[in-house]
Amino acid sequence: MQKTITYSDAINDALHTSMKIDKKVICMGLGINDPKNIFGTTKNLLKKFGSNRVFDMPTSENAMTGIGIGMSLDKFKVVITHQRLDFILLAMDQIINGAAKWHYMFGGKDNVSITIRLIVGRGWGQGPTHSQSLQSLFAHIPGLKVVMPSSAYDAKGLLISSIFDKNPVIFIEHRWLHSLEGKVPSKKYLIPIGKPKKILNGSHITIVSMSYMTIEAINAAKFLKKYNIHCEIIDLRTVSPIDYNIIFNSIKKTKKLLVLDTSNKSYSISSEIVAKCCENVFKHLLSPPKIIGLPNIPIPTSFGMTKDLYPESKDIINEILNIMNIKQTIPYEKNLSHKHDIPHKKFKGPF
Amino acid sequence: MKNIQKNLLEKIKLIRMVEEEISNKYFENKMRCPTHLSIGQEAISAGVCLAINNNDYVVSTHRSHGHYLAKGGNIKKMIAEIYGKETGCSNGYGGSMHLIDKNVNFMGSTAIVGNSIPVGVGLGVAAKLKKNKKISTIFFGEAATEQGVFYESLNFAALKNLPILFICENNLYSVYSSLNERQPKKRSLKNISSSMGVESIKVDEINVHEIYKITKKYAAKVRRTNKPVLIEFMTYRYREHCGPNNDDNLRYRKRSEINKWRNKDPIKVFEKFLLKNKIVTKEEILNIEKKIYSNVKSAFKYAEKSMFPSPRNAFKNIFAD
Ligand SMILES: Cc1ncc(C[n+]2csc(CCOP(=O)(O)OP(=O)(O)O)c2C)c(N)n1
């Protein structure tokens, strides 16, 4: 059976499914049992599974990560949720010196099975410390897997895979994806970590994308199709590790590459992908690979300063025309019924 | 009682003799990793680890040889680990600061100050959820109580009534930095801890049997009440912070302070006590030493004979599958 549900409901479904099939799955996080249930993603978990398995926590991100590690050494599978990615910066010791190294530094004698859910904020003035998209920070660390699904379907399958993975997984959601709907099977299913998915077939250019930027990519591709430009979109789903075969094969076909990033471009996943493609399939590229992402600045708060800051479909379209050396301008106006700093009309923050 | 005292004697002697052998052989340049010796602090390792059960959890720090050996960790595998050999307890990936022996629930020692404290708390959560009556024992130095994660951990242990024994070994120094440089004069760990809801005592005792009895009493209480306890033991390390040498010539510690502690050496004190009370004879002590000596020798031989892991192994064990 299949139903159409939102991305946040798909996350919720994955948590329910995992907790139901394995009593060792534990959920903790600041506010997971509050009336808002982390944008609905943790609703009814407490009611279903009880306070031993679903609990709120002190604002102690570092210790709670270590506690998750300790529990997993006794075979629990721990899911820790943070309302914003920015908050996990207090737990870097436990993540980088602890979770990521444990299996390695003890010669494989033990392993750490924890999933850390992080939510990237955007808009409504989230500002410098509530909207960082720091996937490359984690992806840089050997021993961590970093997952960034863009659809409800992938969110469910990848979250279940993450929870049952024997390793620490950083599971990054984007606040603007939570309200998007998709078709999701009711049963349990797994999506392998590390496998990108081709979500659109095309012959003119390869777009590699992640998380929310995939939504913008789809919009851009739909528009360009009307002008007979056919984009191939590869949604990364996981940003570390990445199985590059599908990307390389696509480049061999299209000979052009555009990478989209939810973060600032410097030292990013997108620059890593461009580097890997240049190292491996350079001779197939007919034009320099390009990146669209944020400029290398902190995210400002003001409604005034965020205007035109985040790249969107229009920027993707223009860049593709550029890459394809098409001089003609195509009149694209995104049909926005709402302001630039919210994902849809009803969104009123506050976070 | 007599048996326990003999076991304690054996443990403190084992730790001292292993550490001294490491120190003697370190200059051969075959133990190529940062190594923090427990010489001077053996009584806490032995007293605490014998007072808890074999299947109770222990986590520890950079200075973990004593804890590992006292808990019953395999000595050959420890020495091989310090030699970087593939037969080491962490297969050569960890070295002196990353020991593990899951056969005795020594769950791991880590090298970042304060890092293993929450991990030990997590093991306490696991024990509580499983209702298996295990307790989790967490060793740390007093410098770790200067870390935020220590307070976060204490807070959670108190909040959730977790079966945890926090063991602070206060040897007065963090590398070369004395307590005066690091903590306000009137600061009392005992008061801090109890005001956070974790019962706490401070122990100046260096007699390993007394340490054992105190720990035994509190371990039983932790098990019975499912509530954490923190014990702060005062102690002193004899050698340099890291490495095989004596560094008293650097004068960061007062001669009078060094002498004060040396004069109440935990091993000398305990031997004297046992002999005076006719619990052991000189001959028995000699026999214990002989037995340990041969074990230590064969552990080093085992380590020397073992192979280095292949360079290829560096690429393994990044992920569990
Ligand atoms: C977070 C961190 N800061 C600094 C160090 C360097 N360092 C290693 S051991 C040590 C002293 C720790 O003192 P204490 O915890 O009291 O244990 P002791 O060495 O006295 O046994 C320091 C500062 C470290 N390993 N980790």
Side-chain angles (χ1 to χ4, degrees):
Chain A
M1 215 182 67
Q2 198 166 248
K3 51 198 164 140
T4 300
I5 57 174
T6 61
Y7 187 100
S8 54
D9 281 342
I11 297 281
N12 186 247
D13 182 341
L15 293 171
H16 275 274
T17 304
S18 303
M19 295 195 80
K20 201 155 101 195
I21 53 184
D22 189 342
K23 282 203 170 98
K24 289 287 186 60
V25 177
I26 302 283
C27 283
M28 59 164 126
L30 186 60
I32 65 171
N33 295 331
D34 74 14
K36 299 280 174 71
N37 291 122
I38 318 281
F39 315 115
T41 58
T42 56
K43 69 183 173 220
N44 293 327
L45 289 174
L46 176 65
K47 204 161 79 190
K48 257 282 176 30
F49 303 104
S51 58
N52 273 343
R53 293 180 61 199
V54 185
F55 50 88
D56 208 320
M57 65 177 214
T59 317
S60 307
E61 290 80 4
N62 198 28
M64 295 315 298
T65 307
I67 286 165
I69 294 172
M71 293 177 72
S72 87
L73 298 183
D74 205 351
K75 301 290 164 258
F76 284 94
K77 298 175 179 71
V78 182
V79 185
I80 309 176
T81 300
H82 299 281
Q83 308 243 20
R84 278 292 179 274
L85 180 146
D86 316 69
F87 307 159
I88 199 65
L89 295 178
L90 282 94
M92 284 315 225
D93 174 49
Q94 289 301 323
I95 294 178
I96 299 179
N97 291 321
K101 305 287 190 295
W102 208 273
H103 185 65
Y104 193 80
M105 73 188 171
F106 294 111
K109 298 276 161 72
D110 225 329
N111 65 289
V112 170
S113 180
I114 59 174
T115 303
I116 300 177
R117 284 182 55 213
L118 304 174
I119 296 162
V120 174
R122 174 172 165 179
W124 202 273
Q126 298 303 297
T129 64
H130 279 58
S131 58
Q132 296 174 86
S133 191
L134 299 175
Q135 57 272 25
S136 62
L137 203 63
F138 299 103
H140 189 63
I141 308 300
L144 294 179
K145 299 185 180 183
V146 187
V147 174
M148 284 185 96
S150 67
S151 71
Y153 176 82
D154 286 342
K156 177 174 172 182
L158 274 165
L159 183 53
I160 298 176
S161 292
S162 302
I163 292 170
F164 292 102
D165 198 281
K166 289 194 172 145
N167 302 283
V169 180
I170 308 292
F171 189 94
I172 302 178
E173 297 158 34
H174 192 288
R175 184 69 186 97
W176 281 22
L177 290 172
H178 276 150
S179 56
L180 299 186
E181 291 185 331
K183 285 204 174 83
V184 175
S186 322
K187 63 170 189 352
K188 174 200 159 185
Y189 61 94
L190 298 171
I191 290 175
I193 293 174
K195 293 265 182 262
K197 178 163 77 174
K198 188 191 292 182
I199 56 172
L200 187 65
N201 246 316
S203 53
H204 293 128
I205 185 164
T206 300
I207 303 177
V208 176
S209 177
M210 69 186 73
S211 188
Y212 183 73
M213 284 311 283
T214 299
I215 308 302
E216 298 288 352
I218 293 169
N219 286 341
K222 263 189 202 147
F223 179 83
L224 287 170
K225 197 175 162 198
K226 289 191 245 165
Y227 293 82
N228 269 326
I229 298 170
H230 298 285
C231 305
E232 179 142 305
I233 303 179
I234 294 170
D235 183 29
L236 287 168
R237 305 200 287 185
T238 301
V239 298
S240 180
I242 294 173
D243 177 352
Y244 278 91
N245 283 327
I246 184 167
I247 299 174
F248 293 163
N249 287 337
S250 174
I251 289 173
K252 285 175 194 166
K253 177 171 75 175
T254 67
K255 321 239 181 277
K256 289 174 214 73
L257 173 65
L258 173 63
V259 188
L260 313 181
D261 206 311
T262 56
S263 192
N264 44 329
K265 294 196 278 187
S266 306
Y267 314 98
S268 62
I269 299 292
S270 45
S271 49
E272 169 72 10
I273 288 171
V274 166
K276 276 278 188 319
C277 292
C278 287
E279 282 179 332
N280 291 279
V281 288
F282 186 74
K283 64 170 187 232
H284 296 278
L285 284 165
L286 286 181
S287 61
K290 291 285 179 184
I291 296 175
I292 291 181
L294 284 156
N296 218 25
I297 55 169
I299 302 294
T301 301
S302 160
F303 182 75
M305 276 191 280
T306 50
K307 183 141 176 54
D308 299 329
L309 184 61
Y310 282 92
E312 47 181 66
S313 336
K314 186 164 71 182
D315 306 285
I316 299 170
I317 291 163
N318 286 335
E319 188 63 83
I320 289 174
L321 294 179
N322 223 352
I323 295 170
M324 299 192 54
N325 222 351
I326 298 172
K327 294 282 171 317
Q328 166 198 3
T329 51
I330 296 180
Y332 177 80
E333 264 321 311
K334 203 168 172 183
N335 207 353
L336 269 192
S337 59
H338 55 82
K339 301 265 199 298
H340 75 265
D341 70 336
I342 48 175
H344 54 80
K345 225 189 213 149
K346 284 196 219 132
F347 191 93
K348 290 229 165 32
F351 65 94
Chain B
M1 187 59 80
K2 239 177 147 174
N3 267 343
I4 285 162
Q5 288 170 324
K6 277 189 192 158
N7 288 345
L8 287 165
L9 180 67
E10 269 189 41
K11 283 288 186 201
I12 45 175
K13 284 218 160 261
L14 170 70
I15 299 167
R16 174 74 52 100
M17 288 170 74
V18 167
E19 299 289 64
E20 285 189 333
E21 190 65 4
I22 292 173
S23 165
N24 291 336
K25 291 171 79 69
Y26 200 81
F27 75 94
E28 291 173 6
N29 299 329
K30 292 179 184 166
M31 289 176 265
R32 304 172 79 88
C33 60
T35 302
H36 304 76
L37 301 180
S38 317
I39 299 175
Q41 307 188 191
E42 301 90 344
I44 302 166
S45 298
V48 170
C49 287
L50 287 192
I52 58 178
N53 296 342
N54 194 45
N55 66 0
D56 283 338
Y57 290 124
V58 166
V59 294
S60 171
T61 67
H62 55 286
R63 197 179 304 288
S64 66
H65 300 178
H67 311 138
Y68 173 97
L69 291 169
K71 188 79 188 8
N74 184 303
I75 169 174
K76 287 183 173 170
K77 292 187 171 180
M78 175 180 123
I79 303 299
E81 187 58 37
I82 302 173
Y83 272 77
K85 298 302 179 68
E86 66 178 0
T87 55
C89 59
S90 299
N91 304 115
Y93 288 79
S96 160
M97 299 196 286
H98 300 106
L99 303 180
I100 185 168
D101 190 339
K102 288 175 67 179
N103 288 329
V104 293
N105 277 351
F106 186 90
M107 301 303 284
S109 56
T110 68
I112 301 294
V113 171
N115 175 280
S116 59
I117 297 176
V119 176
V121 174
L123 287 161
V125 178
K128 186 177 174 186
L129 290 180
K130 289 183 168 176
K131 299 199 175 80
N132 57 16
K133 285 286 165 199
K134 286 183 196 173
I135 69 173
S136 174
T137 299
I138 305 173
F139 285 102
F140 50 95
E142 87 289 347
T145 72
E146 293 153 18
Q147 296 279 19
V149 78
F150 167 71
Y151 297 92
E152 297 180 12
S153 300
L154 219 56
N155 179 63
F156 194 71
L159 174 76
K160 296 279 177 180
N161 293 322
L162 300 176
I164 294 167
L165 204 47
F166 291 95
I167 304 291
C168 177
E169 291 182 65
N170 187 344
N171 64 10
L172 312 174
Y173 293 84
S174 172
V175 194
Y176 300 114
S177 308
S178 72
L179 269 183
N180 311 335
E181 311 282 342
R182 300 182 287 125
Q183 299 179 10
K185 270 234 153 41
K186 287 197 177 150
R187 179 189 193 270
S188 148
L189 184 58
K190 177 176 173 236
N191 290 348
I192 291 172
S193 173
S194 25
S195 71
M196 289 183 73
V198 176
E199 181 178 351
S200 176
I201 55 160
K202 182 178 177 189
V203 180
D204 289 303
E205 184 61 61
I206 45 105
N207 182 326
V208 65
H209 192 216
E210 294 305 316
I211 291 176
Y212 167 85
K213 285 194 283 193
I214 292 166
T215 311
K216 189 99 188 150
K217 176 177 132 193
Y218 282 100
K221 188 164 184 186
V222 168
R223 220 181 294 279
R224 193 176 65 244
T225 60
N226 245 330
K227 283 190 178 146
V229 167
L230 182 148
I231 311 178
E232 178 185 20
F233 291 105
M234 300 308 294
T235 185
Y236 209 64
R237 90 176 130 72
Y238 291 2
R239 300 299 167 93
E240 57 191 336
H241 164 72
C242 178
N245 300 303
N246 189 310
D247 68 351
D248 293 343
N249 58 321
L250 297 180
R251 292 173 181 269
Y252 65 99
R253 305 193 290 190
K254 278 207 189 102
R255 191 76 246 172
S256 57
E257 182 186 277
I258 296 171
N259 289 341
K260 181 186 114 190
W261 284 94
R262 287 270 193 169
N263 287 336
K264 47 176 189 174
D265 178 71
I267 297 196
K268 271 194 241 155
V269 165
F270 194 52
E271 273 183 5
K272 215 157 127 192
F273 166 84
L274 293 178
L275 288 170
K276 197 173 130 206
N277 291 291
K278 301 212 168 14
I279 297 163
V280 292
T281 63
K282 276 209 159 124
E283 205 193 333
E284 281 177 294
I285 295 182
L286 269 174
N287 283 338
I288 289 175
E289 283 173 354
K290 257 193 223 153
K291 191 175 94 185
I292 295 174
Y293 186 75
S294 107
N295 282 343
V296 173
K297 280 287 168 200
S298 62
F300 276 82
K301 215 178 267 165
Y302 175 81
E304 299 241 11
K305 265 199 342 238
S306 295
M307 305 283 283
F308 279 119
S310 135
R312 276 194 313 274
N313 285 19
F315 297 86
K316 296 179 183 165
N317 286 322
I318 292 159
F319 290 115
D321 40 38

